[in-house]
Each structure stands twice: as structure tokens, then as C-alpha cells.
Amino acid sequence: MSDAITHYRQLRELTIDELAYVLLMLDHPISADALAEMERCARPVTVDDLVAIAYVLDTTPAVLLSHIPIDIPEPEGPFGTGLPSDVDQAELRAWLEGKTTLDPESRLSWWKERVARLRVRAAHHEEQLQGAYAELRELGDLAIQEEDAPPVQRLQWRIQDGEHALNQSEVALALTEHRLDNLRGDA
């Protein structure tokens, strides 16, 4: 959570002193030194502090609790004490937000729903990409002759973005289906 406080504070372009001042104005005083200690993991964050800091940083306590730094190595165990070791960040956030529980049946249901959503997303990207390809085919030779024209370039960019989005969706779907299969095997 200390990294999350730092991340969202910097994202909101606040210094530690500014964050401390806003908290003081909200009648939840936390000194700049105490905030710095929280960001260094040298001081615990109370639930009241968590709520106030999340409010000031325009996020939620669940986001701060489930924040995982981009540069953190893949954890060898669970994100938190007592959690199943295979709970990922999205599932952790859903649990913290009360959208699921972590019993085996609920986890299986949550992952099935996630697969279904990703299938819809992949189908949407595929449909959008096929539409862009159809537009390019309709242009025919004109697209080749006028490849530097802004409308043709925008269409090429749409195709490139569409291919990337479809690829990302398919990778996410494959990984999610794999996770679902693992959960089914463990059940």
C-alpha cells in the first residue's frame, strides 16, 4: 500500500506537504513526516488514514489496498497473509470491493464471468477490425495510390490499433481460460 500512496500522490501531482495540508483541512491531520514514513513502509496505515488518503487522492481504499507496482517481481506466494496463493490483482480487487468472495465456488464463478467478458471483448475487436479491412478493400487501388492521404493513413492506423487490441484480447482470454482450467482442476 505504501507504493500505492506514493503512486497516486505523484499521479495527482501532490507533494507530501500538500497531501498533509489537504488532510489537515479535512480534519484528519497526518504530518508530512508521518506520510513519508507510510510511503517508506516505516509506519503502519490505519483504516481511518487509508480512507482519508484514498479520498484525497481521488481513489478508493480497495484500489490502494490492491495496488501492485509495475516493477514488482512476480510474487512467489499470496498478495496478503491468508489469501490463496493464486489470487491475482483483479480478483483481489473484486474481493476487496465485495464483488466476489474467495471460496472455491465463488472464485470459479468469477473466473467464468471474466472469460465470458473477454470473449465478448475479443469478438468486438474482431468485428471492428473486419470492418476496417472491408473499408480498405472498398478503396481498392485508390488506397494504394493515395496511401499518404490522411483518410487512408487513419484507416491504416485503425487497422494497426485493431490488430493490436485483438491480439491483446486473445492473449488475455487465453491466460484467463488457463487460470479457469487450473481452478477447475483444483476443485
Side-chain angles (χ1 to χ4, degrees), residues 16 34 72 100 145 152 165 173 182:
I16 288 179
I72 193 169
T100 188
Q145 295 167 359
V152 175
L173 178 58
N182 286 345

Side-chain angles (χ1 to χ4, degrees), residues 18-176:
E18 290 167 335
L19 178 57
Y21 179 77
V22 174
L23 288 165
L24 177 65
M25 294 296 100
L26 292 173
D27 290 328
H28 190 83
I30 304 174
S31 71
D33 289 340
L35 286 168
E37 289 174 354
M38 288 176 190
E39 288 188 5
R40 289 193 315 270
C41 292
R43 178 186 179 121
V45 179
T46 68
V47 173
D48 290 341
D49 293 342
L50 172 67
V51 170
I53 291 168
Y55 177 76
V56 170
L57 297 179
D58 194 29
T59 190
T60 66
V63 167
L64 294 179
L65 284 169
S66 63
H67 176 79
I68 299 170
I70 291 173
D71 59 351
I72 193 169
E74 186 68 28
E76 293 180 16
F79 284 124
T81 304
L83 293 177
S85 62
D86 61 344
V87 172
D88 76 350
Q89 183 178 13
E91 189 177 13
L92 175 63
R93 182 165 295 156
W95 175 66
L96 289 168
E97 293 173 349
K99 296 177 181 174
T100 188
T101 58
L102 295 179
D103 64 275
E105 186 177 316
S106 295
R107 292 188 71 205
L108 198 57
S109 176
W110 188 84
W111 282 95
K112 285 178 184 176
E113 289 174 20
R114 194 169 179 190
V115 165
R117 286 191 307 270
L118 287 170
R119 284 185 179 144
V120 168
R121 180 178 294 160
H124 170 75
H125 289 309
E126 176 69 30
E127 184 179 302
Q128 295 294 311
L129 184 57
Q130 291 307 319
Y133 283 143
E135 286 181 46
L136 188 62
R137 282 191 300 274
E138 286 176 18
L139 290 175
D141 291 338
L142 185 60
I144 296 169
Q145 295 167 359
E146 299 291 329
E147 67 181 307
D148 292 338
V152 175
Q153 285 182 336
R154 282 192 297 272
L155 184 56
Q156 291 289 357
W157 292 333
R158 266 183 51 211
I159 289 171
Q160 188 176 20
D161 289 346
E163 288 171 343
H164 178 73
L166 179 59
N167 183 48
Q168 294 293 93
S169 294
E170 288 173 342
V171 168
L173 178 58
L175 291 171
T176 303

